[in-house]
Structures are given as structure tokens and as C-alpha cells.
Amino acid sequence: MSKTIEGLRYSEDHEWVKVEGGTALIGITDFAQSSLGDITYADLPEAGDEVEAGEEFGALESVKASSELLSPVSGKVTEVNADLENAPEKINEDPYGTWIIKVELSDPSQVESLMDAAAYEEFTNK
Amino acid sequence: MKYYDKLIFELSKEGRIGYSLRKNGWTASTDSIPAGLRRPVPAALPQVSEVDVVRHYTNLSQMNFGVDTGFYPLGSCTMKYNPKINEEIAGMKGFQSLHPLQPASTVQGALQVYYEMDKSLAELTGMAHFTFNPCAGAHGELTGLMIMRQYHLLRGDLKRTKVIVPDSAHGTNPASAAVCGLDVVVVKSNADGLVDVEDLKPLLGDDVAGIMMTNPNTLGLFEKEILEIAELVHGCGGLLYYDGANMNPLLGVARPGDMGFDILHLNLHKSFSTPHGGGGPGSGPVGVCEKLVPYLPVPRVVKTSAGSFAVIGRAGAGKSNAAKNAEGCSESAGEVSGFLGNFLVILRAYAYILMIGKQNVKLLGKLASLNANYVKEILKDSYKLPIPSVCKHEFVFDGLIDDGASKASDGKGATTLDVAKRLLDYGFHAPTIYFPLLFHQALMIEPTETESKETLDDFIDVMKKIAVEAAETPDLLKTAPHNTPISRPDEVRAARHTILKYQDEETNPN
């Protein structure tokens, strides 16, 4: 069984969002990391890039496949997790403790349309 | 299997050579080479005798698994047996010693092979004419899309930049479209694993260049709505592209041209029994319907009114563009390779088609489908079958029904990867795994028509045995293979810390 965490919001593409003030931390869920398998490379945007809800902002490569990262929200990337360049396995080890990018929300209401933990759990069990 | 794990560098002994030459009387100078481009130290080439080299590579070759040594049920790849007559024909001196710039009058036989192949493939697929210039399947895809783009461009229909690709498509389809400068739009599959016609309709419009499909699709399922899809796409002015990767089950039974496809490529190494090249040489001929013939790449082989064979649109021999245009090639999508593709591969496929003969070609697709369904129906009691309908040449399981999680030492059950590794212990090549991406534990099996019922029964017995092992002793699978020269390489470490060339680990550790 994959884990979910209360208080985070979830997208159908298996990303999680944690809101801190006007900023969203974005990572991938436990379900996503376990489906992908061992992640070997993270292709990430740069601080200052604009991301669009539903659009690709990077990709994760695992031994099984390469998978696009789709942003659940729109806004400007303020920070990229530099640890992932040399240690992408951190996403496997601690998916909810490892944010991938921080985004300054251009439309905070987008977060409301994402799933809560219970809804996401039901979504992945389908 | 004999164990051999040496690198040729480990055999190297200072000063050992495999030849004896007279001393070179010429003085060679490297002075004119800029300092930055010169090696500071000589290349670390292995120093070995001839017999060392021969034994080294012969030993390595004996560790190979090939379709000549065992069953190779690699889904989506059509690893059918390559008859030896193909090699015998391709080895004939008259074919081997040709030069692509020889005058046409001196290579009439070879040109006739192109002409006859064009006719044979046209009849098998329902297309008008083929180009044999693309040197691989993906090269054929790019060529096909260049033809599609040329068709729209020359009509002045410049808005058409969208290529629709199903979410179950081979990864090469969107990649080829992107390389051709077109935009990829994805159409979803429905619950039956087929293109969702309702999802397709809103994507259609005057900006659509065409749709790329395989039929049967990547799940081995026949796209039953293909006639409606063709009508819809043609209705909005788009073209239909057929990816011939899955042509095998249709051979002699159904033709993409009759389904409404305008352009297709074939993989001669799949459906027509030429070697899987390991990177080449390959062949991906592209066929088109009548209205697209003017856009085929140059050069092309045609039959003249006098009954001989000629090459038109050939760049060689100082021919001007005007001269090429005079040969009726002015609308061509251009040149996609030097000359006329990989002739000896095309020749092997020609030998295969002649050997099968018109009377037997009808059996190919039927036997390929029968073999796949036979294996699927027996094994579906042990492996999850996500889409239970009748398949064509291949099918996809979604992992084990009982993965033995409760009996595993770490509580995690055996996966598709573990099943694939265990198959190696029993002397079978593993099927395709974790593709297509629609299922998390995908295990994709394609037996092809060349296997006997006895071989299929052996494979089925082993797959059943592995399912029982998974349920009872999952750890046995999770540490497999146990009987191969190398057991389970650390894929993750290899991917994260890539070393692509030989280096001495003591003097140059990384």
C-alpha cells in the first residue's frame, strides 16, 4: 500500500502540493515513486521559469521508464531542489519529504481544485 | 552455459602482437596536427595475439542468446526465425559486389528486385508504391511524415501541423513527428484498450496533418473502429499513417490500404524475417496511396516502357535539378538516404516472400495470432490478463495473479521483472517488460508464427512453473537468475554511475 499524507493536495498525475504562504512546494507521491521504481535522473527546470498547470516542467528517469513531471499549479519557479542533481534517489527514499520545485502561485485557487488525501487514496485504489 | 567473463584488455601483454610487418621506411610526422588534438599518451589498445582475439570473441559469442539458440517471445519486436536461404541469396557474389553508382544497364537484376518488391509489398498492404530508401523503421516513420508534410505544403495547406498519436503508441511515433517539425497531440484509449473515437472527434480540424496508428495496436488488439476513424480523419482533411511494427498478424489476411491508411512503413526485420540489426543495417520501406506517389523520396526504381529498369531522380553523374524534374520527381519530399537504402536487407526480405509464396502467405498472420491466443488462454489462470478479448499477434499480462507477498522475506511479492529473470534460468529469452506503460507490471508476449506447438507448450509449462514458484517461494524469483553467467546486474548503480569505456579501476577509479 502506498502512503498519503494529510494536509497535502494531490493531482491526478500523482504530484503533491504543499502550500506555504504564497508558495507551493511540489513533489511526487509515494504511489508515483513506487510505480516508477528506482529514479536515476531528474531533468528539472531553472529558477525563474514559468510553469503552467497541467503542463510539463521536467522529467524523471528510472530504470523502467522516463516520466514527465506535470505541474499541478501555475506560477513562477522560485527554487529547484539542487540535491536531486546528484541524489535523485532521495525521491524514492522520502517522497513527501523531498520537494522538487517551489512555485510562486499565480492563482492560489488552483490548489482548491486538487484532491485531498482521502480523495487521492480513493483515486489510486480505483 | 560456459562461463567466460574476461575483457580483452585483461588479456593484454606488453609487446604482444598478432601480425608481422616489414619496417616502415616512410617517416611519419605529426607536427602538422595542432597540439590540442594530439594524444598526450598513446591510446591504451589491447596487445594480444591472433589466437587470443579469436578465442576471446568466440567465447563471448557463445554466451549470446539468439533466435537460432532458443525461443525469443519479445513482445512488439516480432523476433521470427530468419531462414538461412535469405543469407545464401544475400551472399551471392553478383549481389554483393554491386556499386550504387553503376550504370543501370549493368544492374538490371538488382533493380528488378526493387521493382518486384515494390509490387509484392503493394499487393500485401494495399498501397500503390513503395520507397526502399529509409534504413530503419524509425527512419521510415520520419520519411512517411515528410511525405505527409509535403502533401499539405504543396497544396498550400500550411496550417496543418498537428499529428494525432494514441496514448498506447510506440514512443517512436511522437518522436518522429517532433523531428519532422510537427506538433504531437495525444488521443486516449478507451476501457477496451482501443482508440477512443469520442476523444478523437474534438481533436479534429483544419490544423490536423494526420493520425499515426498501429493496427493491431500495442496491446495486440485490433482497432475495430478503424473505418470510422479513417472517415473522420479524412473528413477533416488529414491523412492516416500506419506504423507497420504490428503488420505481422495482418499478413495475407487484411491490408492497411483497404482500411483507409494513406502512408505506411514496414519493418523488414520484423514481418519479413531479415536480421534484427543491433543498430543496423536495417530497412524501413514506406508505401503510399496513389495520390501521394509524386511525393515519394528520390531516387526511385521504375520500369521503362521498353521493359527495362531505370533509376529516376538520382543525384549522381552531374545531373541537374532540371534533369531530375524532367523525370517527374519535382514534387518529391527529397532524399532521405544515399542511393536506394540497404539493398542486401531488401534482398533477404524478397527471398523470404518468394519462399513463402502466394499460396502460403495467408497462413502467416493467422498462425501468428493463433500462437499468441494459445499461450494467452492457457496462462491467464496464472497471470493477470487486463484486457480479456481475442488478441492478434501479441498480448499483455499485468503481472502475477499470486505474487507470493505473504511468503516473501521482505513482504514484497514477485514482480514482472522477477518472472523475466527466472525465465532465463529455464533457457528462454525474457519477454518485453514494463511496456506498454498503460499497465504497471506489463509483460508482453509475442510468439510469432515460426514456433511449433511443442516449443509453445515448453514455454507455457515453464511460465506455469514460475507462477507456482512465485506463490510458494517468491525469494527464489527475486534472486534469479541463478544459472546464467551473470546473475542480476545492479541496474540502478549502472544508470546512476555510468562508465561507458574501459578504464583501469586501480589507476582511474570513478
Side-chain angles (χ1 to χ4, degrees), chain A residues 31 35 38-40 63-66 88-89 92, chain B residues 433-434 437 440-441 491-497:
Chain A
F31 178 85
S35 307
D38 291 298
I39 295 164
T40 54
V63 285
K64 270 201 254 174
S66 171
E89 60 269 27
N92 292 116
Chain B
I433 60 171
Y434 300 114
L437 304 175
H440 288 301
Q441 289 296 330
E491 290 178 334
V492 178
R493 185 159 173 250
R496 283 183 187 152
H497 308 282

Side-chain angles (χ1 to χ4, degrees), chain A residues 13-67:
Chain A
D13 305 306
H14 309 288
E15 277 91 15
W16 57 259
V17 173
K18 184 183 182 185
V19 179
E20 291 179 349
T23 300
L25 281 66
I26 298 171
I28 67 164
T29 65
D30 188 37
F31 178 85
Q33 73 78 17
S34 91
S35 307
L36 268 174
D38 291 298
I39 295 164
T40 54
Y41 179 70
D43 184 14
L44 300 176
E46 285 176 14
D49 288 357
E50 294 285 339
V51 295
E52 196 73 39
E55 298 286 313
E56 181 183 341
F57 72 82
L60 294 176
E61 283 179 24
S62 75
V63 285
K64 270 201 254 174
S66 171
S67 185

Side-chain angles (χ1 to χ4, degrees), chain B residues 262-274:
Chain B
D262 304 291
I263 308 171
L264 64 75
H265 85 267
L266 297 171
N267 298 80
L268 295 186
H269 58 271
K270 293 186 182 185
S271 317
F272 297 94
S273 86
T274 67

Side-chain angles (χ1 to χ4, degrees), chain B residues 226-405:
Chain B
I226 186 59
L227 294 179
E228 189 187 347
I229 293 170
E231 207 178 302
L232 287 167
V233 174
H234 284 150
C236 84
L239 297 176
L240 274 83
Y241 183 94
Y242 180 89
D243 177 336
N246 293 348
M247 184 66 200
N248 214 42
L250 299 192
L251 283 178
V253 181
R255 311 193 307 170
D258 298 336
M259 299 174 200
F261 285 99
D262 304 291
I263 308 171
L264 64 75
H265 85 267
L266 297 171
N267 298 80
L268 295 186
H269 58 271
K270 293 186 182 185
S271 317
F272 297 94
S273 86
T274 67
H276 280 239
S283 181
V286 171
V288 294
C289 64
E290 198 65 53
K291 73 173 172 187
L292 298 179
V293 172
Y295 312 113
L296 281 171
V298 285
R300 283 175 55 207
V301 175
V302 293
K303 194 173 187 177
T304 65
S305 52
S308 63
F309 302 98
V311 181
I312 58 169
R314 184 151 76 171
K319 208 181 272 181
S320 66
N321 280 336
K324 274 198 268 179
N325 292 347
E327 290 171 336
C329 302
S330 60
E331 294 180 310
S332 164
E335 290 177 44
V336 297
S337 66
F339 313 112
L340 288 161
N342 283 320
F343 173 63
L344 292 176
V345 181
I346 296 154
L347 181 63
R348 285 176 173 90
Y350 181 58
Y352 174 75
I353 289 173
L354 291 186
M355 185 191 70
I356 295 293
K358 204 166 183 170
Q359 71 280 16
N360 290 323
V361 77
K362 286 184 172 65
L363 289 172
L364 295 178
K366 288 178 186 170
L367 288 175
S369 303
L370 178 65
N371 282 357
N373 280 288
Y374 178 69
V375 175
K376 170 178 70 94
E377 286 304 309
I378 299 182
L379 288 180
K380 72 179 182 186
D381 296 336
S382 309
Y383 297 84
K384 285 182 211 160
L385 183 63
I387 296 177
S389 48
V390 175
C391 67
K392 289 293 174 289
H393 60 309
E394 64 190 359
F395 59 93
V396 181
F397 284 133
D398 190 12
L400 288 150
I401 288 177
D402 183 353
D403 66 3

Side-chain angles (χ1 to χ4, degrees), chain B residues 191-233:
Chain B
D192 297 330
L194 305 175
V195 166
D196 189 333
V197 176
E198 292 311 311
D199 193 60
L200 174 67
K201 283 179 185 167
L203 301 176
L204 298 173
D206 61 3
D207 57 349
V208 169
I211 187 170
M212 297 181 85
M213 290 177 68
T214 55
N215 194 16
N217 66 20
T218 305
L219 300 173
L221 305 172
F222 190 78
E223 296 280 359
K224 285 179 277 197
E225 307 301 333
I226 186 59
L227 294 179
E228 189 187 347
I229 293 170
E231 207 178 302
L232 287 167
V233 174

